[in-house]
Amino acid sequence: MATAASIRSAQPSKTMGEFDLIQRFFTRPTPRAVLGVGDDCALLQPAPAMQQAISTDMLVSGRHFFPDVDPYALGHKALAVNLSDLAACGASPVAFTLALALPDSNPTWLEPFSQGLLALADAHGCELIGGDTTQGPLNICITVFGEVPHGQALLRSGARAGDDIYVSGSLGEASLALAQLLRQRQDQDQDRSAETQMPAPMAQLNAADLALARQRLEQPTPRLALGTALRGIATAAADISDGLLGDLGHILERSRVGASLETALALGLLPRQRYSATAAAQLASAALRPTVLQHVLSGGDDYELVFTAAPAQRAAVQAAAHSSQTPVTRIGQIDAEPGLRLYEPDGSLLQHQFASFDHFAGG
Ligand code: ADP
Ligand code: MG
C-alpha cells in the first residue's frame, strides 16, 4: 500500500529492490499452505475439527529492541514472541505473515535477520506465507496463524478458586540483562529514556554472566510443547511478556478471581545456579532481594507461561512438563477473594507495588 506523499520513497531500493528482497530473503516453499508468497493473498486450508488461533505482535526499534541488536537474534525474537502467544493458547503453529518497515535494504542485515527468523519458523513447522515490505523506521510486525482442536484453546478466563498457579522455566533473567544493558548505555550517554524502569540497587554481572542473561532477553524460547501438552489440564494460561504479576493479573481479571503467591517460591524462579559464584551470591544477598523480586515479579520479556490447574491435576501437570521437557514450578493458588497477595516465608504479607510494563503508563 502506498500513499501519494510516500510514493517516491516507499520502496526500500537503496541497495536492492523490494521484490528482489522479498524473493531472496522471504520466499520459501510452503508445503502446508495452499498458496504462499507471491499473490495478493496467501491461502490456508483449515484442518477439520480445528479452530484457528491468530495473534499479532509488533516490535519497534528503540522500544522493544536496541537498534544495533544482532539481526539474527532479532529475527528469532520477532517470531518467538508471536509463537509464545500461540503457546499460551495451547495452539500449534501453522503459518505467519511478516510486515517489515526497513530504513534501507541492506543484505548484510537482512541475511542474518531472515536466518534467525526462518530457523525458528522451520523448527516449529511455521510457514512464512506473505507480508508487506516498506521503507521506514525499523519495525517488525508478525501475525501468526495456529490451530487448536475445537473448544480446547487455553483461555485467560478459566481459573477457579482453589486452582494451583504454575510458571514454566525461569523468570527474571531477561529483565536482569535489560537493566544492566540500559545502565551501560546510560553511562555511555546513548539512552536516557529508561531511567524510571531501573530497579535499584542493581546486580552487577560480569561479561560472561551478562551474555547468559542476555541470551534470555534476545532469544526467548516459546513454550509451544508445554502449551499443547496442557490442553485439557490447565484451566487458564497466559504468556509472560510484561511481567509475571501483570500477566497473571490478566488471568485474575478475566477469571474474576484473586491469587496468593509465595515470595520464596517466586524468588526460586531466578536460576542463580546458572551464573558464576560471585553473581549467584549477589543475587542471593539480602541487599538485592527487593531487586531480584522485582525482576522476577515484574520484569518482562521472559516469554514463559503462567497457568492454573486444579490440584487434582498435579500429576497430569508434571506429566505435561515431562513430556514437553519444560520445567514448571507451583508458586501459589487462586483465591475467590480478588487481589494479588504475596506471602513472605514467615506468613506476613509483602506490601507490593510491582507494576507490570505498560507502554502507555507514565508517558
Ligand atoms: P500487494 O501490493 O498486492 O499487497 P506486495 O507487492 O506488497 O503485494 O507483495 C508481493 C507479495 O510478496 C505478496 O504475496 C506479499 O504477501 C509478499 N510479501 C511482501 N513483503 C513480504 C515479506 N516481508 N515477507 C514475506 N512476504 C512478503
Ligand atoms: Mg503489499
Side-chain angles (χ1 to χ4, degrees):
M1 195 182 70
T3 62
S6 67
I7 260 174
R8 244 168 291 115
S9 61
Q11 317 290 310
S13 56
K14 289 229 175 71
T15 45
M16 63 190 301
E18 176 187 353
F19 297 105
D20 293 340
L21 182 162
I22 296 166
Q23 180 62 36
R24 175 162 162 199
F25 296 111
F26 302 115
T27 304
R28 311 247 299 172
T30 53
R32 290 178 81 180
V34 178
L35 183 63
V37 168
D39 215 305
D40 292 306
C41 292
L43 294 174
L44 292 175
Q45 181 62 52
M50 298 296 242
Q51 288 178 318
Q52 281 188 293
I54 300 162
S55 182
T56 297
D57 252 315
M58 180 153 65
L59 297 190
V60 177
S61 179
R63 191 75 206 172
H64 301 99
F65 58 90
F66 297 120
D68 56 356
V69 71
D70 169 26
Y72 185 98
L74 183 61
H76 173 102
K77 183 162 180 174
L79 182 59
V81 303
N82 279 278
L83 293 177
S84 177
D85 286 315
L86 291 184
C89 286
S92 312
V94 173
F96 70 106
T97 60
L98 169 68
L100 260 185
L102 297 168
D104 55 45
S105 62
N106 176 2
T108 55
W109 188 92
L110 279 161
E111 181 84 53
F113 172 80
S114 67
Q115 282 171 358
L117 178 84
L118 296 172
L120 184 64
D122 289 348
H124 294 287
C126 191
E127 297 179 347
L128 177 55
I129 55 166
D132 199 19
T133 308
T134 183
Q135 190 176 44
L138 183 57
N139 188 330
I140 305 153
C141 184
I142 287 180
T143 299
V144 278
F145 302 83
E147 61 180 15
V148 58
H150 201 279
Q152 288 190 34
L154 305 177
L155 308 180
R156 293 175 173 183
S157 53
R160 296 290 172 263
D163 282 355
D164 295 320
I165 301 170
Y166 299 86
V167 171
S168 67
S170 61
L171 290 185
E173 291 164 280
S175 158
L176 197 62
L178 181 60
Q180 187 155 333
L181 291 169
L182 287 170
R183 166 67 62 83
Q184 284 176 0
R185 280 172 192 252
Q186 259 182 20
D187 290 350
Q188 295 161 10
D189 204 21
Q190 286 183 355
D191 183 345
R192 302 224 137 263
S193 64
E195 279 163 20
T196 50
Q197 290 171 43
M198 310 236 297
M202 289 185 54
Q204 294 294 336
L205 302 180
N206 67 28
D209 286 334
L210 178 59
L212 209 55
R214 188 174 185 165
Q215 172 81 12
R216 289 295 315 250
L217 173 69
E218 294 181 350
Q219 296 200 52
T221 305
R223 298 301 193 183
L224 286 155
L226 178 64
T228 53
L230 288 171
R231 288 177 194 156
I233 298 170
T235 50
D239 69 324
I240 305 177
S241 51
D242 298 329
L244 169 62
L245 295 192
D247 290 310
L248 173 59
H250 296 314
I251 291 181
L252 302 184
E253 246 167 64
R254 302 282 297 204
S255 303
R256 298 169 183 276
V257 290
S260 299
L261 301 184
E262 294 188 35
T263 55
L265 296 178
L267 279 167
L269 290 169
L270 194 132
R272 295 193 301 259
Q273 66 287 357
R274 288 183 71 211
Y275 294 86
S276 68
T278 319
Q282 216 189 123
L283 295 169
S285 70
L288 277 191
R289 191 176 189 268
T291 307
V292 171
L293 254 185
Q294 175 153 3
H295 285 307
V296 169
L297 296 175
S298 47
D301 276 301
D302 291 303
Y303 296 97
E304 295 292 354
L305 299 184
V306 53
F307 62 95
T308 57
Q313 297 282 10
R314 281 182 191 170
V317 168
Q318 288 313 318
H322 190 255
S323 73
S324 62
Q325 300 185 339
T326 310
V328 304
T329 307
R330 185 154 52 85
I331 58 163
Q333 69 171 41
I334 297 291
D335 304 328
E337 185 190 348
L340 210 159
R341 290 156 292 278
L342 293 169
Y343 285 96
E344 291 285 25
D346 66 3
S348 66
L349 264 178
L350 181 76
Q351 296 304 316
H352 68 92
Q353 289 190 311
F354 296 111
S356 72
F357 187 72
D358 178 339
H359 282 284
F360 293 103

